[in-house]
Amino acid sequence: MDKYQVLSRRYRPLVFSEVIGQETIVKTLKNALNTKKIPHAFLFSGIRGTGKTTTARIFARALNCKEGIVTDPCNVCENCIQQLEGRTLDIFEIDGASNTSVNDVRMLKENTRFLPSQLRYKVYIIDEVHMLSNEAFNALLKTLEEPPAYVIFILATTEPQKIPETVLSRCIRLNFKRVEAGEIFAYLARVLDKENISYDDSALHMISRQADGSVRDALSILELILAYGADRVSENDVVSLLGLLSKDKILSFLRALGEKNIRQIFELSSMVKDEGGNFFDFSE
């Protein structure tokens, strides 16, 4: 039996053109690849689910593609396949939250001394880098100042303000913005079309707003809705599962406010509370 893959993995972008809502960053990285002027350290910052790690992986494959340093990886050559399947010894994805100690960074530094075993570059992608200890940052600093020519660092964080200025000053910083709700809506529609699942436009608009700029969160919400009603994504299901307010309730509440109908306002407020709704959703 084939193992089920969640939507966020199944539809993870494989080339830069599939990255949503980060056109400026994509252009910057492709220009660097095109001119072969590759900085030795990047800092990708932004809220969760906006494509930081995904973009880092695409960039690593573009650096190491068999075709040379390219503006988009081919994803079919031996080098690309090894990276996609996690079989290469030259791409390191490190979780900063669980590798916080100075000893972890010292081991990393020691590893950078050796030439790549298979690829053109060794690429170190350190996720949630702000979780490193001060001692670990100090140990990393020297390597960031003078890394070997074959080493590229990509630091990713949701909290750049926690990173020491000495580290920030040695990185090219790229800020991943929140993805606009309209772009998320169009993306979700494409995903559901590929899955041959019908949907209400109003339901996708609700999910897009609830995701608050995070594509991964949008896909996670969509996964929840599909688990509840697998054959269709309906507005009623989204309202029910996410504890949102339907348009009818919002209009009724606004009408009661306009008419200063205190009794109806209290009745609607009580109904929303009983259903687990959120009064902040009126602002949507």
Side-chain angles (χ1 to χ4, degrees):
M1 181 183 292
D2 291 337
K3 186 177 179 181
Y4 176 74
Q5 267 197 329
V6 296
L7 295 175
S8 58
R9 293 192 63 185
R10 204 182 322 162
Y11 290 98
R12 185 187 293 276
L14 296 178
V15 292
F16 284 119
S17 61
E18 296 175 354
V19 176
I20 304 167
Q22 310 297 343
E23 292 79 10
T24 300
I25 289 172
V26 165
K27 182 177 180 181
T28 300
L29 294 176
K30 293 185 79 167
N31 283 344
L33 291 163
N34 188 48
T35 60
K36 308 297 190 290
K37 296 178 180 178
I38 314 296
H40 65 268
F42 293 90
L43 176 69
F44 290 178
S45 63
I47 67 164
R48 67 191 184 282
T50 51
K52 299 184 296 296
T53 303
T54 292
T55 302
R57 291 171 177 169
I58 295 171
F59 189 72
R61 292 200 302 278
L63 285 170
N64 288 303
C65 185
K66 277 277 191 183
E67 296 181 6
I69 298 177
V70 291
T71 55
D72 251 329
C74 71
N75 292 324
V76 295
C77 71
E78 180 184 357
N79 287 3
C80 286
I81 294 297
Q82 284 183 349
Q83 292 174 83
L84 286 169
E85 295 179 352
R87 292 189 288 109
T88 176
L89 300 175
D90 296 323
I91 306 297
F92 303 85
E93 292 195 25
I94 301 164
D95 177 17
S98 55
N99 295 274
T100 62
S101 73
V102 65
N103 288 332
D104 292 323
V105 175
R106 284 173 179 162
M107 290 176 62
L108 181 156
K109 286 176 61 180
E110 183 67 19
N111 187 278
T112 63
R113 295 174 51 219
F114 302 101
L115 290 167
S117 60
Q118 301 164 303
L119 305 178
R120 192 174 295 110
Y121 286 95
K122 281 187 171 183
V123 181
Y124 294 83
I125 301 170
I126 308 179
D127 198 17
E128 298 301 337
V129 69
H130 64 273
M131 298 291 286
L132 295 181
S133 65
N134 287 332
E135 293 79 10
F137 272 124
N138 289 334
L140 180 62
L141 188 58
K142 185 63 177 179
T143 306
L144 286 176
E145 286 177 338
E146 299 176 5
Y150 50 81
V151 170
I152 304 291
F153 284 97
I154 303 177
L155 315 181
T157 181
T158 54
E159 301 186 55
Q161 72 278 5
K162 293 184 178 180
I163 299 176
E165 287 293 334
T166 49
V167 172
L168 291 174
S169 66
R170 287 158 176 80
C171 300
I172 300 297
R173 181 171 174 178
L174 298 175
N175 297 313
F176 284 66
K177 65 179 183 178
R178 295 176 187 269
V179 181
E180 294 180 0
E183 291 183 278
I184 294 178
F185 170 88
Y187 176 68
L188 295 180
R190 290 197 299 272
V191 167
L192 290 173
D193 287 342
K194 290 179 181 177
E195 295 287 318
N196 293 315
I197 295 174
S198 60
Y199 55 87
D200 296 338
D201 283 357
S202 56
L204 294 196
H205 280 301
M206 287 179 172
I207 294 172
S208 301
R209 290 195 299 270
Q210 284 296 304
D212 194 25
S214 169
V215 179
R216 186 172 66 239
D217 283 6
L219 289 172
S220 296
I221 295 171
L222 183 60
E223 197 91 49
L224 170 66
I225 306 302
L226 292 176
Y228 181 75
D231 59 340
R232 181 175 180 81
V233 179
S234 70
E235 178 179 337
N236 287 339
D237 287 348
V238 174
V239 169
S240 175
L241 286 171
L242 300 186
L244 303 180
L245 303 178
S246 67
K247 290 180 181 178
D248 289 342
K249 283 193 175 69
I250 293 174
L251 290 174
S252 296
F253 188 84
L254 293 176
R255 191 178 301 113
L257 282 176
E259 296 172 355
K260 299 181 180 179
N261 188 331
I262 304 300
R263 179 178 178 179
Q264 189 176 12
I265 289 172
F266 276 107
E267 287 177 351
L268 285 167
S269 299
S270 178
M271 187 186 304
V272 168
K273 182 179 178 181
D274 290 343
E275 293 176 358
N278 186 343
F279 286 102
F280 288 107
D281 288 324
F282 283 117
S283 64
E284 299 289 348

